[in-house]
Amino acid sequence: MSEATTGSNGDDEIVTVNFKVTQSFLDEIDSTWQGRGFNSRSEFIRYTLRDAIEFPTFDRDELIALLQAEEDIRAGRTMNADEAREQFGTDSDE
């Protein structure tokens, strides 16, 4: 799914990094990478870390807002563009 190196230079040395997690968290990691089509745990962790570096401003509050929006869509609590313009007083020409 992704390449092993994170830098733009193919000559970067691959370094092993060790860290500790609880068994239950490792179980969650394993079920996640397997369910999302990654080839290995390492590939998933590299991808996740790379994503965190490339998009460091995405935080928990934004995730909560996205989840709330998804819930609103599924529950039918949405409005079309004309309704939004009317409710929020915006002009369609802007």
Side-chain angles (χ1 to χ4, degrees):
M1 186 172 221
S2 65
E3 299 201 13
T5 60
T6 58
S8 59
N9 182 352
D11 295 332
D12 285 346
E13 178 184 357
I14 301 296
V15 180
T16 299
V17 177
N18 296 312
F19 59 96
K20 296 179 181 183
V21 297
T22 63
Q23 183 61 53
S24 61
F25 184 50
L26 183 60
D27 293 343
E28 288 183 54
I29 291 170
D30 287 342
S31 65
T32 300
W33 73 260
Q34 293 166 355
R36 293 189 182 173
F38 287 88
N39 295 319
S40 68
R41 180 190 296 155
S42 293
E43 181 184 14
F44 171 71
I45 292 171
R46 279 191 302 272
Y47 176 87
T48 303
L49 292 172
R50 186 180 307 114
D51 192 58
I53 289 169
E54 290 178 9
F55 305 104
T57 59
F58 191 80
D59 62 18
R60 186 176 184 87
D61 290 338
E62 290 169 310
L63 178 59
I64 291 169
L66 284 172
L67 293 172
Q68 181 62 54
E70 179 66 23
E71 184 178 303
D72 288 344
I73 290 168
R74 290 181 182 188
R77 295 185 300 256
T78 60
M79 63 180 77
N80 65 37
D82 289 334
E83 293 169 330
R85 285 185 199 102
E86 184 177 319
Q87 181 175 340
F88 298 109
T90 60
D91 185 4
S92 62
D93 295 335
E94 290 181 6

